[in-house]
Amino acid sequence: MEKWRATSNLRRSLKSILNRQLSSVSEFRYLNEKRSCQSSFNLIRDCKSLGQVNAIQHRCFSSASTLVQRNPSFSTLNSDDISYFKGLLGEKSVIQDEDRLETVNTDWMHKYKGSSKLLLLPRSTEEVAQILRYCNSRCLAVVPQGGNTGLVGGSVPVFDEVIVNVSSMKNIISFDKVSGILVCEAGCILENLISFLDNQGFIMPLDLGAKGSCQIGGNVSTNAGGLRLVRYGSLHENVLGLEAVLANGDVLDMLGTLRKDNTGYDLKHLFIGSEGSLGIVTKVSILTPPKLSSVNIAFLACNDYSSCQKLLMEAKRKLGEILSAFEFLDTEAMNLVLHQFDGVRNPLPASMHNFYILIETTGSDESYNREKLEAFLLSSMEDGLISDGVLAQDINQASSFWRIREGVPEALMKAGAVYKYDLSLPVEKMYDLVDDMRIRLGDLAKVVGYGHLGDGNLHLNVSAPEYDDKILEQIEPYVYEWTSKHRGSISAEHGLGLMKANKIYYSKSAETVQTMASIKKLLDPNGILNPYKVLPHSLNS
Amino acid sequence: MKIMVAVKRVVDYAVKIRIKPDKSGVETQNVKMSMNPFCEIALEEALKIKESGLAKEVVAVTMGPSNCVDTLRTGLAMGADRGIHVEAARDLVPLSVAKVLKKLVEVENPGLLILGKQAIDDDCNQTGQMIAALLGWPQGTFASKVVLDKEKQVATVDREVDGGLETLCLDLPAVITTDLRLNQPRYATLPNIMKAKSKPIKKYTPEELNVKIKSDLEVVQVTEPPKRKAGVILSSVDELIDKLKNEAHVI
C-alpha cells in the first residue's frame, strides 16, 4: 500500500518536474536557503537509514528543484473574488494597498517575503468562516496571520496566498475572577492581556520578548513557550478551550472553561501548535495564575557550563515551588546586548564571565521568599557554583535584568545576518553543541548561545555581517544531525513554519509524520491553510 | 568625615497603585515596597564620596515601623557602614522627620547630610529644606552634580532649576538633596549582601531623642484622578461645530 502511494507520488513529482520546465514558476524569494538542495541530499541519507520508502520522492524532488514551487492546484485571485470579499467584509477590511501589503508580506526577521496581493481583516468568527468557505470553494490558498512575530517564516505567504489577519478581533470576552479563566478573541495582543489581568490580580501563564506585538491566537497556534514555562507549564496545560474555523468554513466550538472534561477526543490539542495548518483559531479560553506579590530576581555569573547545570539542579531543589524562571546567556550574547543597546549596563562589570544566569522567584510572602533566595545564592556562592551575582532591589532593577535577556534576539537582528536555531537537548549536552559550532565556524561567524536552561531549550544563533552560503553549509545539516543523534528536538518552541518544513524527520518518525499528513488531509482536503509549511513538501498532494 | 543618608521605604515605583476602598489612602498590603529611588541616588552619591577617600563612614537612617529595616538592609548591601532605625508609627510628615534628623545629627555629627529630593509616595519635597533650616546649615537641593573640596571644606553643587543649571558653593557641614541625573545607583552584589548581615543597626525611639511626633495635617480623602475619556473621531467640520456648541459649550 505504501509502495503504491510512493510510486504514484513519484509519478506526480516527475510530472511536476516536466511541468516546471513548461510553465512559468513564480520563484519564492528564499533569501538564505538557496542550497536547500544540498540539505535535502543529506536528508536522503538519513531517511535511507530510517528505512524510508519516501526517500525515493526526496531524491527526485531535490535533484529537480532547488526552490519551493507554487502549487498549481491553487487558483489565482480575480476581480470577482475581490468584490465578494468587499461585499462580505466592507471596503475597510479588504486591503490591496501596496505599502500595507509590503509589511504583512515580510516576517519579523526580514528573512522571508511573500507576494500576496490581498489582506483581509475579519472582525468576527462568522466572517472568518465565510472567508474560508469561499476560499475553499475557489481553491485559494490562505495564510492565517496574527502579530507576525514568528521566527520560522510561518506567518507570511510563500507566494500569493491570501492573508487572513485576525488583529481586528481583539475583544476580551469574559474573565472569571474566582477561577482566573480568561476568554478572549485570537487577535488580543499578549501585553494588553497582561495589563488587563494585572488590574484583576492575575498574570498570563506565558511571557515572551515579543509580547508587545504577538497575539494570543498566534501564541496558541504555535504553542509558544517563553520565559515562565518552567513554572506554569506549556499552553497545552493552560488552554482550557478554543474556537477554531476549519478550511471548509465549519466552526469548531471547543471553547470550554472547565478544568476537567473527559468527553471524547480532546481535539483542541491538535490545533495548539499546528501553526495554522489545521484551522484558524478565533477564540481562546485560558487559565491564568494569580499574581503573587513577591517577585525576586538575581543575575549571576558562572565560570563554566557544568556549574550552570549544578546550579539548575540546586535551584530546583532549594527554591522548589517559588522558582519561576531560569535563563542563561553566554559571554557572546552579553557582549552583543551591551554593544547594540545604549542604556543597558552589565550588572556584573568587574570582569567578563563565561556564563550569566538569570533566576526569578515568585511567591506570596516577601520576606520568606527573599530569605530563601538569599540563602540559596549565598550557599551556591560558598560551594563555588557562582562566581559573582547581584540581587535586584526594586522592580526597576528587575526590568533591567530582563531587558538584557529579552534583548538578545533584538541585538542579534541589529548586528546583521543571523541564523537562528531553537533546539531541545539534554541539559548536560546543550553547550557542547555551541562549542562544536564555534570550532566548525572559526572566524566565519560568531556563535551565540542563550536560552531557557530550565526547560532544556537552547537558542543557538550564528551571527555574521551578511548572509553567506559558506556559513550555512557549515551549520546545516550538522546542527540537525547533532540534535537528532541526541534525540533532541530541532524546534523546541519556534515551530517548523517554512524554515524547517522538510526537517521534521530529524525529530519524528516516518509513521508519525504520515499520520500527521493524514490528519491534515482530513481537516483540509484542498490544502489551502498555510501551505508549504510544517509538514514536508513531498507529502502534499 | 561622616556622611549621613536618610532613606525611605515606599511603594515600588513600577507598581500600579490602587486606592483603598475607604479612600483613606493608597493600598500598601501585598504590594512590592522598596527604597525611594531618590534615596538610592543619595546613598550612591555618599558611597562614591567615601570611595574617593573624602569620607570615612556612611550611615543610613530610616524612620517608621519595623519593616523599614528591609530598606536599611538594602542600603547596607549597597555599601553603607552602619544603619540607624527610628521606630515610629507610619506616615510621618516631613517636619517630624526633620526634627528627628536634627537630633540624630547632634548625636552623630556628620559633615554632610544627603537626602533624596522627594519621596515618591507623598511628593512633598520638604524634608531636606526643613532640616537645613532647623540646623542652620546651607542647602543644595535638586543636585545633579556634587564636588567636594576637603581642604576648603566646601561642596560645589550644580542644581537643576527651571531655568537651567545653577551652581552653588556650600560651606560644610551642609544638606544636599539629590535629583535624578546625579548618578546611577549600583546593584547590591552577593558578597555585599553577605557582609550586610553583620553590619550593626542601632534602634532609637522618638522619646529617646526627645522629639514629639505630632502631625498638623490630616488626610481627609484620597481619590483617583478622573479617568481620561476616549477621544471621538469626527467626520466633518459641521459635526465639529455642532459638538463644540452643544456638548462642550465653548462657542
Side-chain angles (χ1 to χ4, degrees):
Chain A
M1 181 63 176
E2 256 205 78
K3 269 210 173 111
W4 173 86
R5 206 182 295 138
T7 42
S8 67
N9 281 340
L10 176 58
R11 230 177 283 135
R12 231 173 291 154
S13 325
L14 286 170
K15 235 191 256 173
S16 71
I17 294 163
L18 293 169
N19 283 337
R20 192 179 77 89
Q21 270 130 20
L22 302 170
S23 64
S24 56
V25 178
S26 48
E27 265 185 28
F28 172 58
R29 248 191 290 158
Y30 213 172
L31 297 169
N32 71 332
E33 279 194 43
K34 289 178 262 182
R35 294 287 192 92
S36 59
C37 160
Q38 188 145 351
S39 46
S40 304
F41 272 121
N42 292 327
L43 182 58
I44 299 160
R45 254 185 277 134
D46 278 354
C47 284
K48 271 199 167 154
S49 65
L50 293 167
Q52 277 320 293
V53 181
N54 291 331
I56 304 171
Q57 294 164 199
H58 285 121
R59 190 186 295 146
C60 281
F61 198 76
S62 58
S63 61
S65 60
T66 54
L67 300 166
V68 182
Q69 291 180 54
R70 187 186 184 282
N71 187 334
S73 60
F74 292 141
S75 316
T76 330
L77 274 177
N78 59 34
S79 49
D80 289 336
D81 300 322
I82 310 282
S83 329
Y84 174 80
F85 290 129
K86 283 193 174 160
L88 172 67
L89 305 171
E91 294 265 347
K92 284 206 189 135
S93 304
V94 176
I95 313 289
Q96 293 176 282
D97 167 55
E98 299 232 336
D99 292 321
R100 283 186 74 174
L101 281 174
E102 177 90 13
T103 336
V104 292
N105 264 313
T106 320
D107 78 321
W108 183 76
M109 289 180 48
H110 300 295
K111 204 172 159 195
Y112 301 101
K113 191 164 170 141
S115 35
S116 171
K117 298 278 182 300
L118 186 61
L119 165 67
L120 298 176
L121 299 167
R123 277 151 313 189
S124 68
T125 308
E126 189 45 47
E127 287 184 359
V128 176
Q130 290 188 352
I131 293 173
L132 286 184
R133 196 173 302 135
Y134 182 79
C135 289
N136 195 33
S137 64
R138 278 273 294 131
C139 220
L140 286 168
V142 164
V143 170
Q145 191 182 78
N148 197 7
T149 55
L151 299 170
V152 287
S155 54
V156 289
V158 180
F159 298 106
D160 59 345
E161 298 91 283
V162 174
I163 303 176
V164 177
N165 189 311
V166 296
S167 306
S168 302
M169 296 169 57
K170 49 191 173 175
N171 292 322
I172 294 177
I173 299 171
S174 72
F175 179 68
D176 179 348
K177 278 196 220 190
V178 175
S179 56
I181 297 177
L182 172 72
V183 181
C184 62
E185 289 183 326
C188 293
I189 295 179
L190 186 60
E191 195 160 51
N192 292 347
L193 291 176
I194 294 175
S195 313
F196 167 78
L197 288 173
D198 200 62
N199 285 333
Q200 313 288 336
F202 287 82
I203 57 170
M204 284 298 280
L206 80 162
D207 191 8
L208 32 152
K211 56 187 156 221
S213 313
C214 67
Q215 295 169 11
I216 191 69
N219 290 143
V220 167
S221 299
T222 54
N223 191 21
L227 308 158
R228 300 263 152 66
L229 198 134
V230 70
R231 169 75 172 254
Y232 298 115
S234 79
L235 280 173
H236 281 290
E237 295 161 54
N238 294 302
V239 170
L240 297 177
L242 53 89
E243 181 193 67
V245 182
L246 295 177
N248 62 3
D250 282 352
V251 176
L252 283 187
D253 180 1
M254 303 174 288
L255 198 62
T257 51
L258 306 168
R259 282 305 297 279
K260 301 165 95 168
D261 182 10
N262 279 349
T263 50
Y265 306 142
D266 201 351
L267 291 181
K268 66 173 187 285
H269 289 293
L270 269 184
F271 293 92
I272 300 175
S274 63
E275 304 181 47
S277 60
L278 295 179
I280 299 187
V281 172
T282 46
K283 294 199 181 81
V284 176
S285 119
I286 186 164
L287 182 64
T288 63
K291 184 177 158 89
L292 298 174
S293 54
S294 155
V295 178
N296 284 306
I297 178 167
F299 201 85
L300 313 164
C302 294
N303 275 330
D304 51 42
Y305 186 66
S306 67
S307 314
C308 298
Q309 280 178 64
K310 289 194 200 121
L311 194 63
L312 173 62
M313 274 166 36
E314 287 298 297
K316 283 194 165 157
R317 195 170 305 136
K318 298 225 174 102
L319 295 175
E321 72 282 6
I322 61 170
L323 182 66
S324 58
F326 195 103
E327 301 284 314
F328 94 106
L329 38 149
D330 62 9
T331 328
E332 289 287 0
M334 176 61 108
N335 279 336
L336 205 66
V337 173
L338 293 174
H339 191 66
Q340 294 291 342
F341 297 130
D342 331 299
V344 167
R345 54 177 176 144
N346 187 346
L348 301 164
S351 55
M352 284 314 288
H353 299 94
N354 289 330
F355 293 93
Y356 295 94
I357 303 268
L358 192 149
I359 296 184
E360 190 197 57
T361 62
T362 308
S364 45
D365 188 334
E366 174 77 49
S367 45
Y368 169 68
N369 291 333
R370 204 182 170 77
E371 268 171 46
K372 206 166 167 177
L373 181 59
E374 272 182 23
F376 163 71
L377 292 174
L378 293 175
S379 76
S380 304
M381 194 141 186
E382 278 163 22
D383 292 340
L385 292 176
I386 317 176
S387 51
D388 201 357
V390 294
L391 194 54
Q393 300 298 318
D394 54 43
I395 299 182
N396 219 10
Q397 291 185 356
S399 321
S400 64
F401 294 167
W402 274 120
R403 180 90 187 92
I404 296 174
R405 165 61 187 87
E406 286 181 327
V408 182
E410 219 185 301
L412 281 161
M413 276 262 298
K414 284 187 170 180
V418 53
Y419 295 93
K420 225 177 235 307
Y421 298 91
D422 161 46
L423 313 160
S424 261
L425 291 165
V427 174
E428 326 81 72
K429 297 269 181 286
M430 244 166 77
Y431 209 71
D432 290 346
L433 178 56
V434 182
D435 288 331
D436 272 357
M437 289 309 298
R438 286 216 173 104
I439 298 173
R440 263 180 92 84
L441 285 166
D443 282 328
L444 276 179
K446 226 188 304 189
V447 181
V448 172
Y450 64 99
H452 316 289
L453 190 54
D455 314 325
N457 184 188
L458 171 73
H459 288 309
L460 175 73
N461 281 252
V462 177
S463 173
E466 279 166 2
Y467 286 111
D468 185 351
D469 284 342
K470 277 208 290 290
I471 301 177
L472 184 61
E473 267 167 38
Q474 294 290 21
I475 307 175
E476 291 189 26
Y478 182 76
V479 164
Y480 296 136
E481 290 173 350
W482 204 103
T483 306
S484 189
K485 199 166 44 162
H486 292 98
R487 298 188 63 86
S489 164
I490 52 149
S491 185
E493 53 182 9
H494 291 170
L496 296 169
L498 180 61
M499 179 181 169
K500 302 178 203 174
N502 283 321
K503 312 280 194 300
I504 193 174
Y505 294 111
Y506 284 107
S507 294
K508 287 283 186 314
S509 76
E511 293 82 11
T512 317
V513 180
Q514 196 58 52
T515 311
M516 291 184 202
S518 309
I519 295 174
K520 164 77 172 167
K521 195 91 175 88
L522 177 69
L523 294 178
D524 183 14
N526 291 330
I528 60 165
L529 286 175
N530 228 1
Y532 318 111
K533 299 172 189 153
V534 185
L535 296 177
H537 300 137
S538 48
L539 290 175
N540 295 330
S541 50
Chain B
M1 182 175 71
K2 202 188 295 187
I3 306 182
M4 189 182 278
V5 181
V7 297
K8 186 176 182 188
R9 182 174 188 261
V10 296
V11 176
D12 192 302
Y13 134 86
V15 166
K16 281 197 196 106
I17 54 168
R18 259 187 283 280
I19 311 283
K20 283 197 248 199
D22 60 0
K23 296 200 182 165
S24 60
V26 168
E27 184 68 66
T28 49
Q29 293 271 40
N30 275 333
V31 158
K32 177 107 184 161
M33 309 285 277
S34 25
M35 194 191 286
N36 182 32
F38 295 108
C39 299
E40 271 182 5
I41 296 174
L43 188 51
E44 174 65 25
E45 196 57 29
L47 293 171
K48 278 207 170 107
I49 295 174
K50 177 180 157 197
E51 279 162 6
S52 67
L54 294 165
K56 276 220 203 61
E57 202 187 15
V58 173
V59 182
V61 177
T62 195
M63 294 167 215
S66 53
N67 48 23
C68 288
V69 177
D70 293 340
T71 320
L72 270 190
R73 287 274 168 227
T74 304
L76 294 174
M78 278 171 74
D81 301 294
R82 275 190 295 127
I84 297 178
H85 172 219
V86 179
E87 184 101 38
R90 306 168 44 85
D91 299 347
L92 293 171
V93 288
L95 189 53
S96 309
V97 174
K99 287 182 182 168
V100 171
L101 271 179
K102 175 168 183 240
K103 294 290 176 184
L104 287 173
V105 163
E106 285 166 10
V107 170
E108 296 278 341
N109 272 316
L112 198 56
L113 178 60
I114 314 186
L115 303 94
K117 73 171 179 182
Q118 65 198 58
I120 59 171
D121 53 2
D122 54 27
D123 279 337
C124 282
N125 189 352
Q126 296 165 359
T127 314
Q129 291 84 338
M130 284 175 174
I131 178 71
L134 288 176
L135 290 171
W137 285 9
Q139 55 181 276
T141 52
F142 314 118
S144 66
K145 187 158 140 206
V146 173
V147 178
L148 283 184
D149 187 335
K150 200 161 188 182
E151 285 145 38
K152 294 196 213 138
Q153 283 288 295
V154 291
T156 312
V157 175
D158 280 359
R159 304 178 59 218
E160 281 189 23
V161 294
D162 288 341
L165 287 176
E166 182 187 51
T167 310
L168 294 180
C169 195
L170 316 169
D171 288 330
L172 297 181
V175 173
I176 295 181
T177 71
T178 60
D179 207 331
L180 207 55
R181 271 165 278 271
L182 180 56
N183 59 43
Q184 212 176 22
R186 61 193 63 186
Y187 293 110
T189 61
L190 289 178
N192 282 341
I193 293 175
M194 211 154 33
K195 281 188 224 151
K197 292 200 189 298
S198 50
K199 289 181 185 168
I201 294 182
K202 184 140 193 233
K203 248 198 179 51
Y204 286 103
T205 60
E207 293 75 40
E208 284 173 20
L209 298 168
N210 272 328
V211 178
K212 229 199 196 133
I213 307 276
K214 70 175 173 83
S215 176
D216 299 319
L217 302 168
E218 182 198 326
V219 174
V220 172
Q221 194 191 71
V222 178
T223 51
E224 271 186 353
K227 280 206 168 36
R228 267 191 71 177
K229 281 192 288 198
V232 179
I233 296 184
L234 304 170
S235 48
S236 71
V237 178
D238 292 322
E239 213 183 320
L240 174 65
I241 295 178
D242 174 56
K243 284 220 188 283
L244 286 175
K245 201 175 200 173
N246 300 322
E247 282 186 32
H249 300 291
V250 291
I251 51 170

